[in-house]
Amino acid sequence: MDAPEPENTPFAAVSAQTSKLGRLYQSYLDKSTPYTTYRWIGTAVLLALFFLRIVVAQGWYIVCYSLGIYLLNLFLAFLQPKIDPSLTQDEGLEDGDAGSSLPTKKDEEFRPFIRRLPEFKFWHSATRAIAISFVCTWFTIFNVPVFWPVLVVYFLILFSLTMRRQIQHMIKYRYVPFSFGKAKYNQRSGH
């Protein structure tokens, strides 16, 4: 008799507010989609502020290293095709998915490059990770004492080895994940 009605519970109110904030956040994301250059400039500024915080505070090197590894992982996913040609070639196309492989000869049909991680998701994940890392630098629990030159050297070695492997993969299967340097065709009006 004295129990609140199901729609007036505190959980329902919090759930409604969370849902409202989620829709607002998604609407701002949707509005920012066409502004690729401005989004990346904002992310670069946020990354510069993060690095400035690391340099000025002289700490949180583990947070910085973790962010670097995560951004490297995102970048590799951004460079890779959605369907890896080495896997489809190794499988012998037994599942009948021959139409999804990249062309390797001149007489084969052109298939567009589809990324494993689209640009917008790459930007969103990178920006969110940088923001979370920046917030982590304000808490001393994340300031683990380490010898930072070892982390820098290890990251540079890891970066060079993974990028070399990725470039060799791109050369072997003849795909270019970037649109600059490719032929562009003008559309005629009226067609």
Side-chain angles (χ1 to χ4, degrees):
M1 293 189 161
D2 291 331
E5 295 179 15
E7 61 271 353
N8 294 334
T9 63
F11 178 74
V14 169
S15 178
Q17 289 299 320
T18 304
S19 177
K20 182 180 175 183
L21 288 174
R23 285 191 306 272
L24 182 66
Y25 177 70
Q26 187 62 47
S27 74
Y28 283 125
L29 282 179
D30 293 342
K31 289 177 185 176
S32 71
T33 301
Y35 304 107
T36 307
T37 306
Y38 297 119
R39 286 189 283 118
W40 282 105
I41 288 172
T43 300
V45 167
L46 186 61
L47 187 62
L49 287 174
F50 173 74
F51 285 144
L52 183 67
R53 167 74 179 144
I54 294 295
V55 169
V56 169
Q58 294 290 312
W60 290 275
Y61 301 118
I62 288 291
V63 174
C64 187
Y65 176 74
S66 301
L67 176 65
I69 295 295
Y70 182 72
L71 292 179
L72 177 63
N73 187 23
L74 287 177
F75 185 62
L76 288 173
F78 177 72
L79 291 178
Q80 294 173 351
K82 186 172 186 177
I83 298 164
D84 190 1
S86 65
L87 294 178
T88 56
Q89 190 176 39
D90 292 342
E91 293 172 358
L93 300 175
E94 295 171 358
D95 58 350
D97 196 15
S100 63
S101 65
L102 294 173
T104 56
K105 296 180 179 78
K106 287 186 177 185
D107 60 342
E108 287 188 29
E109 181 182 344
F110 169 74
R111 289 174 190 83
F113 183 81
I114 302 171
R115 298 180 186 283
R116 194 173 90 183
L117 181 66
E119 181 272 333
F120 185 80
K121 289 184 180 180
F122 176 38
W123 167 79
H124 186 245
S125 297
T127 306
R128 189 173 44 195
I130 294 167
I132 290 170
S133 298
F134 187 75
V135 169
C136 286
T137 62
W138 296 98
F139 297 99
T140 57
I141 193 168
F142 298 112
N143 191 8
V144 179
V146 293
F147 187 60
W148 65 267
V150 172
L151 292 178
V152 171
V153 169
Y154 184 65
F155 178 78
L156 291 176
I157 290 170
L158 187 65
F159 179 80
S160 63
L161 290 176
T162 54
M163 289 310 296
R164 188 178 109 214
R165 185 178 53 95
Q166 184 64 35
I167 291 170
Q168 287 174 343
H169 191 268
M170 289 165 43
I171 292 169
K172 181 178 180 181
Y173 293 103
R174 297 183 181 103
Y175 64 90
V176 179
F178 303 109
S179 59
F180 59 85
K182 293 183 180 179
K184 293 183 181 178
Y185 301 100
N186 294 331
Q187 292 181 344
R188 294 182 182 185
S189 59
H191 289 282

